[in-house]
Amino acid sequence: LEAGEVDQVYTLVEPLHPADIADLFEAVDADERLALSRAISDLMGGEVFAELNDHVREGLVDELSAEDIADLAEEMETDDAVALIEDLDEDEQQAVLAEMEPEDRAAIVSALSYPEETAGRLMSREVIAVGEHMSVGDLIDFLRDDRELATEFWEVFIVDARHHPVGTCQLSWILRAPRHVPLTDVMKRDQTLIPVTMDQEEVALRFQKYALISAAVVDESGRLVGQITVDDVVHIIQEEAGEDALALSGAGDGDINEPLHMTIRSRMWWLFINLGTAILASSVVAAFEQTIAKLVTLAVIMPIISGMGGNAATQTMAVTVRALATNQLTSSNTWRMIMREWWIASANGLGLGMLMAATCQLIYHDWWLSLVVVLAMVLNSLNAGLSGVLIPLGLDKLKIDPAVVSTVFVTTMTDTLGFFFFLGLASALLM
Amino acid sequence: LEAGEVDQVYTLVEPLHPADIADLFEAVDADERLALSRAISDLMGGEVFAELNDHVREGLVDELSAEDIADLAEEMETDDAVALIEDLDEDEQQAVLAEMEPEDRAAIVSALSYPEETAGRLMSREVIAVGEHMSVGDLIDFLRDDRELATEFWEVFIVDARHHPVGTCQLSWILRAPRHVPLTDVMKRDQTLIPVTMDQEEVALRFQKYALISAAVVDESGRLVGQITVDDVVHIIQEEAGEDALALSGAGDGDINEPLHMTIRSRMWWLFINLGTAILASSVVAAFEQTIAKLVTLAVIMPIISGMGGNAATQTMAVTVRALATNQLTSSNTWRMIMREWWIASANGLGLGMLMAATCQLIYHDWWLSLVVVLAMVLNSLNAGLSGVLIPLGLDKLKIDPAVVSTVFVTTMTDTLGFFFFLGLASALLM
């Protein structure tokens, strides 16, 4: 495809949606991306760059001059331009900003002044805000006349003299009302305001909970400073929700476009920590070496007990982390959740423990061994269930992200105690 | 709170948003929900029911007559009413439908005729569709006059004489255009149409990719039959993305409001299957009982090798499942992904294997044992990396949801082969 046939590539790519062009860049090999971007350089507008994966975009942006980047940023909405510029290093940022129109530059500088991953970075400054005195007809005339307005908006915000939002109007309400009706009769006073410093995860939960299409962003003094629209929130919802599976497994952000050495480093770091916990668990086994030497069968059954504990804990942990991330687990139902997991652990430990004991009895014909198996399974199941719920809850209380850290602690608990229960009971009852 | 003080409860709950009232029901104990719903019965409108968790809603709906349910369903938008009614059993569905107005009944019967989790169930039938001949002014007059329109809409769909959509108009474009301009000059012809049978997960990905606010739903013949708005899609994006962590851990849908016996059943079933794979892996250990009897240290190191393999495989699997779910992994980059994981596995296996061998050498002063450890770690790391990427890919090719089934196969591979590599090498090189 890439073999010098620039025109052909261009003809193929031209009819595509910017989001599809961005996907195309992610699909081709890293060393072909530059050639592709040159072949279709005049299709590479702000919209395509806004849709690109961070790592892919960085690779392309490195090849551009500050002036080119500034041109791209000016085509974009504030929030996308900020995403483009925030990844550059300090010098490049200054060079790019110097090339921009004063107005756009001011908007971006002000956005960059808010912490990363907050509403301030996410919002677009282009927002339709009108005074309370206007009628529906006045608003329509205003919208028709003024050419310098936001390109995309779904709601109009009504503000008072101090620029504080007092109500929101869906465009459909305006279209359906007669011209003479005052806006204050059409608008909804009850609105969800987003403080400019709110974390983007919290913003996403608000949008989801109240089914918002757009929302007004206000600064510390309550003044309207921008709006966030749902299309900017949708990918945050998706990322934050999908992060759990990746974080619980220690796979970092799981971006398949991340440079290889970064992925190796982050994954190896996680495996290194887990190696530590595995060595800790195996030191428990080492303490019972004499017991195992007398009955090697223990070494055969041992991984089953710790493995079941690990699986049960992972289930509980995934549910707890998810419930915390979606604000379903609050102080009012924490106790119910813990009791719930206690019952599940008891039922599963007893059921599977008895099944496992029966299997052992069939193979080894040793009642005492079977008793050790069922006791160890029940104890480790309770240990797994309670670790799986209490450790994420504790981390959350300490303001540590439970998705990222829980697995290490929970695995340590189930492996170490799993071996200890089984080998300890065996040395007490069988030797 | 619940001790008979009905008026006080009512006063507290009254100012809340329906979504917050729904949250309140999820937070209180199951046996208090009925009392609460009685205390605030006239606040329990369709909007609150639409926001309730499935299991909580079922508990409340069981106490209502068919007539009450029909009243609730009539207050709701079609998609929410369908969600309420689809969970009832056949008899109750008929009874409720019989109580409804013919028009609402027809809409719901038609929605129920589409398979679950498709666009047909998700869409609302209330949609603004106008002919191509209209001007902006005609449309505004039409919207002002007709009282029976959809309550919420963000875009207007332009249809031809056969009711096929030919373009979409954002309301802001209409508000900003002069009255005499024909709609065909304002509308965008390029639109994302959703077939009525499309899976809801695919619908969510479309909305996300093209940053849609609403989209036209068309039937097999291309006729416009409804619209889907982004607020209905947002919770699907959230659920589908969050499902991975739960599915990979075998925790079902992870709903903390699910009745206890259902949760125990689904989780035990998963643990039971995993017990089978654990027994399989331990049969490998049993085959080497003689080797372990000669060198009990092997039983101490064994869980470290299989554990590291398990962790590495979980990382790779989480990344692969996520990339598949978000359509980032397609046939064009499959090979790159596999090679990528091969390199990561080699680097991690070699790095951590040498570290582990050095630790063994320090403790046991046995060069041959250390060699066995590093070889087993490298082999199992490659095994883990390749299983973690190839098994989900294979399941996906077979149209089996990789998130749900991968873990069982991958764990079997890393445990069974992990034990085999380590104990096999030990019996070959050390005995």
Side-chain angles (χ1 to χ4, degrees):
Chain A
L1 194 82
E2 238 54 64
E5 285 138 342
V6 171
D7 289 350
Q8 237 173 300
V9 171
Y10 190 94
T11 324
L12 281 171
V13 174
E14 211 206 332
L16 295 180
H17 187 280
D20 291 312
I21 300 182
D23 277 0
L24 182 64
F25 272 94
E26 286 159 33
V28 303
D29 286 342
D31 47 2
E32 289 176 341
R33 285 178 193 144
L34 201 57
L36 177 59
S37 80
R38 288 200 184 118
I40 58 168
S41 58
D42 61 322
L43 298 177
M44 297 295 292
E47 287 195 312
V48 175
F49 272 86
E51 297 284 341
L52 281 175
N53 171 284
D54 284 356
H55 295 290
V56 177
R57 185 168 55 205
E58 266 177 51
L60 292 175
V61 166
D62 282 349
E63 304 295 322
L64 295 176
S65 68
E67 207 181 325
D68 291 337
I69 302 175
D71 286 346
L72 281 173
E74 283 179 356
E75 276 180 50
M76 296 175 170
E77 287 185 56
T78 339
D79 54 324
D80 292 325
V82 167
L84 176 70
I85 293 176
E86 69 185 358
D87 290 337
L88 302 175
D89 52 39
E90 192 65 29
D91 294 350
E92 285 176 299
Q93 280 190 10
Q94 293 309 325
V96 171
L97 288 171
E99 295 285 343
M100 294 181 76
E101 303 283 326
E103 205 177 317
D104 291 326
R105 186 194 313 149
I108 289 179
V109 169
S110 125
L112 289 173
S113 71
Y114 298 109
E116 276 190 63
E117 312 213 325
T118 59
R121 291 271 176 124
L122 205 60
M123 72 185 181
S124 109
R125 250 141 270 266
E126 296 94 18
V127 45
I128 314 287
V130 294
E132 318 177 65
H133 57 276
M134 274 195 177
S135 71
V136 167
D138 295 339
L139 174 62
I140 294 179
D141 293 339
F142 167 73
L143 291 175
R144 284 199 186 133
D145 287 347
D146 200 330
R147 292 278 129 228
E148 286 283 299
L149 289 174
T151 45
E152 217 170 271
F153 58 97
W154 308 97
E155 287 173 313
V156 168
F157 302 101
I158 321 296
V159 291
D160 63 15
R162 292 173 308 156
H163 217 69
H164 289 195
V166 292
T168 311
C169 248
Q170 293 186 9
L171 298 187
S172 63
W173 302 343
I174 295 164
L175 276 166
R176 303 195 58 189
R179 287 184 67 95
H180 62 81
V181 174
L183 282 180
T184 42
D185 285 3
V186 183
M187 74 184 189
K188 206 172 97 187
R189 283 177 194 276
D190 207 17
Q191 46 181 353
T192 309
L193 299 177
I194 309 279
V196 76
T197 52
M198 185 183 262
D199 184 78
Q200 63 174 20
E201 193 169 354
E202 191 59 36
V203 173
L205 286 172
R206 290 276 168 100
F207 264 77
Q208 196 195 345
K209 182 167 180 185
Y210 300 118
L212 304 178
I213 298 295
S214 62
V217 181
V218 291
D219 66 12
E220 297 75 30
S221 65
R223 282 169 51 90
L224 178 72
V225 289
Q227 67 167 343
I228 295 178
T229 48
V230 68
D231 53 311
D232 297 321
V233 172
V234 160
H235 75 268
I236 293 171
I237 294 177
Q238 218 255 9
E239 272 171 29
E240 299 277 354
E243 263 175 14
D244 285 358
L246 298 164
L248 283 170
S249 72
D253 63 2
D255 187 335
I256 63 172
N257 291 298
E258 189 180 48
L260 193 61
H261 67 275
M262 287 171 68
T263 309
I264 291 178
R265 199 190 314 153
S266 73
R267 291 215 212 158
M268 198 188 289
W269 178 233
W270 171 264
L271 293 175
F272 174 72
I273 294 170
N274 277 273
L275 189 61
T277 77
I279 291 174
L280 189 69
S282 85
S283 70
V284 173
V285 181
F288 290 98
E289 244 178 84
Q290 296 311 315
T291 314
I292 297 173
K294 281 189 221 151
L295 187 63
V296 180
T297 306
L298 295 178
V300 176
I301 303 174
M302 187 177 82
I304 303 181
I305 313 279
S306 68
M308 290 312 289
N311 287 329
T314 307
Q315 292 181 331
T316 310
M317 191 166 57
V319 173
T320 310
V321 165
R322 194 85 203 99
L324 283 169
T326 52
N327 282 354
Q328 283 184 71
L329 190 52
T330 55
S331 52
S332 63
N333 57 2
T334 299
W335 186 243
R336 177 154 39 112
M337 175 88 176
I338 296 171
M339 285 309 296
R340 196 179 143 80
E341 291 301 334
W342 194 86
W343 282 111
I344 295 171
S346 308
N348 285 345
L350 213 60
L352 295 166
M354 294 195 358
L355 182 70
M356 192 57 215
T359 315
C360 274
Q361 187 58 26
L362 274 175
I363 300 175
Y364 299 110
H365 309 289
D366 180 339
W367 286 107
W368 284 102
L369 179 63
S370 304
L371 179 67
V372 167
V373 166
V374 71
L375 287 177
M377 289 276 278
V378 170
L379 285 175
N380 206 29
S381 181
L382 289 174
N383 166 38
L386 294 179
S387 309
V389 64
L390 292 176
I391 289 175
L393 277 171
L395 290 167
D396 188 63
K397 277 264 177 298
L398 298 171
K399 309 269 175 227
I400 300 170
D401 183 353
V404 177
V405 199
S406 292
T407 309
V408 174
F409 289 105
V410 172
T411 318
T412 310
M413 289 296 285
T414 52
D415 281 1
T416 312
L417 286 182
F419 290 142
F420 177 75
F421 291 140
F422 180 60
L423 298 174
L425 283 165
S427 77
L429 298 180
L430 300 179
M431 297 298 136
Chain B
L1 193 85
E2 237 54 68
E5 286 138 341
V6 171
D7 289 350
Q8 237 173 301
V9 172
Y10 189 93
T11 323
L12 282 170
V13 173
E14 212 207 331
L16 296 179
H17 187 281
D20 292 311
I21 300 182
D23 277 0
L24 182 65
F25 272 95
E26 286 160 34
V28 303
D29 287 341
D31 47 1
E32 289 176 339
R33 285 177 193 144
L34 201 60
L36 177 60
S37 80
R38 289 204 180 114
I40 57 167
S41 57
D42 60 322
L43 299 178
M44 296 295 292
E47 288 196 310
V48 175
F49 272 87
E51 298 284 343
L52 281 175
N53 171 285
D54 285 357
H55 295 290
V56 176
R57 184 168 57 206
E58 266 176 51
L60 291 175
V61 166
D62 283 349
E63 303 295 322
L64 295 176
S65 69
E67 209 181 326
D68 291 338
I69 301 175
D71 287 345
L72 282 173
E74 285 179 355
E75 279 179 51
M76 295 174 170
E77 286 185 57
T78 340
D79 56 322
D80 293 326
V82 168
L84 177 70
I85 292 177
E86 69 186 359
D87 291 336
L88 301 175
D89 53 37
E90 191 66 29
D91 294 351
E92 284 176 300
Q93 281 189 7
Q94 293 310 325
V96 171
L97 288 170
E99 296 284 341
M100 293 180 78
E101 302 286 323
E103 205 177 316
D104 292 324
R105 188 194 313 148
I108 287 178
V109 168
S110 124
L112 289 173
S113 71
Y114 299 109
E116 275 189 64
E117 312 212 326
T118 59
R121 292 271 175 124
L122 205 61
M123 72 185 181
S124 109
R125 251 139 269 267
E126 295 96 15
V127 44
I128 314 288
V130 295
E132 319 176 64
H133 57 277
M134 273 195 179
S135 71
V136 167
D138 294 339
L139 174 61
I140 293 179
D141 294 340
F142 167 73
L143 292 175
R144 284 198 185 134
D145 286 348
D146 201 328
R147 293 278 128 230
E148 286 284 298
L149 291 174
T151 43
E152 217 170 276
F153 58 98
W154 307 97
E155 287 174 313
V156 168
F157 301 101
I158 322 295
V159 291
D160 63 15
R162 294 173 307 156
H163 216 70
H164 290 195
V166 291
T168 311
C169 249
Q170 293 186 9
L171 298 187
S172 62
W173 302 342
I174 295 163
L175 276 167
R176 303 194 57 188
R179 285 185 66 96
H180 62 84
V181 174
L183 282 181
T184 41
D185 285 2
V186 183
M187 75 186 187
K188 204 172 101 188
R189 283 177 193 277
D190 207 17
Q191 45 181 353
T192 308
L193 299 177
I194 308 279
V196 75
T197 51
M198 184 182 263
D199 185 79
Q200 63 174 22
E201 194 168 354
E202 192 59 37
V203 174
L205 286 172
R206 291 276 170 101
F207 264 77
Q208 196 194 345
K209 182 166 179 186
Y210 300 117
L212 305 177
I213 299 294
S214 62
V217 180
V218 291
D219 66 11
E220 297 75 31
S221 65
R223 283 169 49 89
L224 177 72
V225 289
Q227 68 166 341
I228 295 178
T229 47
V230 68
D231 52 311
D232 297 321
V233 172
V234 161
H235 75 269
I236 293 171
I237 294 177
Q238 217 256 9
E239 273 170 29
E240 300 277 353
E243 263 174 14
D244 285 359
L246 298 164
L248 283 170
S249 72
D253 61 4
D255 187 334
I256 62 171
N257 291 298
E258 188 181 50
L260 194 60
H261 67 274
M262 288 171 67
T263 308
I264 290 177
R265 201 191 312 151
S266 73
R267 291 215 211 157
M268 198 187 292
W269 178 233
W270 172 265
L271 292 175
F272 175 73
I273 294 169
N274 276 275
L275 189 61
T277 77
I279 291 174
L280 190 69
S282 86
S283 70
V284 173
V285 182
F288 290 97
E289 242 178 84
Q290 297 309 315
T291 314
I292 297 174
K294 282 188 218 149
L295 186 64
V296 181
T297 306
L298 297 177
V300 176
I301 303 174
M302 187 178 83
I304 302 181
I305 314 279
S306 68
M308 288 313 289
N311 287 330
T314 307
Q315 291 182 331
T316 309
M317 189 166 58
V319 173
T320 311
V321 165
R322 194 85 203 98
L324 283 169
T326 51
N327 282 354
Q328 284 184 72
L329 190 53
T330 56
S331 53
S332 65
N333 57 1
T334 299
W335 186 243
R336 177 155 39 110
M337 176 87 176
I338 295 171
M339 284 311 296
R340 195 179 144 80
E341 291 300 334
W342 193 87
W343 282 112
I344 296 171
S346 308
N348 285 344
L350 213 59
L352 295 167
M354 294 194 359
L355 182 70
M356 192 57 215
T359 315
C360 275
Q361 186 59 26
L362 273 177
I363 300 175
Y364 299 110
H365 310 289
D366 181 340
W367 286 107
W368 283 101
L369 179 63
S370 304
L371 179 67
V372 166
V373 165
V374 71
L375 288 177
M377 289 275 278
V378 170
L379 286 175
N380 205 29
S381 183
L382 288 174
N383 166 39
L386 293 179
S387 308
V389 64
L390 293 176
I391 290 176
L393 277 170
L395 290 167
D396 188 62
K397 278 264 175 296
L398 298 172
K399 310 269 175 225
I400 301 169
D401 183 353
V404 178
V405 200
S406 292
T407 308
V408 174
F409 289 106
V410 172
T411 318
T412 309
M413 290 296 285
T414 53
D415 281 1
T416 312
L417 286 181
F419 290 141
F420 177 75
F421 291 140
F422 179 61
L423 298 174
L425 283 166
S427 77
L429 298 179
L430 301 180
M431 298 298 132

